[in-house]
Amino acid sequence: MVDARRMEVYAQVFDAEGRPQSEVSAEVVDAGSFAAFRGLGRPFVIFGSGARKCAGILSDAVCVEVTPSARGLAWLAQQALDEGRTEDIAYFEPFYLKDFVVTTSRKKLF
């Protein structure tokens, strides 16, 4: 769960074996958020930079404090390199989840 803005987070749900149970999505957090996954009779664990803002709202969820580190990505990078999966960074387009919308400022500078 990644903190976005106000009460919004970017999140994806995984099972205990690490298999994705949902797509990455932007979620506005309220008491009904992730209800389909929280009511299954097993612990619902949230972690990431957006978990702290959800802990008070999702009272039945277990909040785990995690400090992100690039060290955890090293084995994934090595595995991709061993399999020959690389990116041409000159033409790589990152996954932003939402389209970028240009707006004009309402503040007058002069």
Side-chain angles (χ1 to χ4, degrees), residues 4-87:
R5 59 186 170 95
R6 297 191 181 106
M7 287 310 294
E8 187 175 33
V9 295
Y10 298 131
Q12 184 172 19
V13 178
F14 293 88
D15 65 11
E17 285 78 39
R19 292 183 299 256
Q21 301 297 304
S22 71
E23 296 294 321
V24 177
S25 62
E27 298 284 336
V28 176
V29 181
D30 60 19
S33 296
F34 309 105
F37 301 103
R38 291 176 25 224
L40 299 177
R42 22 181 217 255
F44 186 73
V45 180
I46 54 175
F47 61 92
S49 62
R52 183 174 287 159
K53 91 166 42 169
C54 297
I57 298 169
L58 306 177
S59 58
D60 59 337
V62 178
C63 181
V64 176
E65 294 290 329
V66 177
T67 304
S69 170
R71 181 179 299 181
L73 297 176
W75 72 273
L76 289 172
Q78 186 63 53
Q79 183 179 14
L81 188 60
D82 292 346
E83 294 172 0
R85 290 184 289 127
T86 60
E87 291 291 341

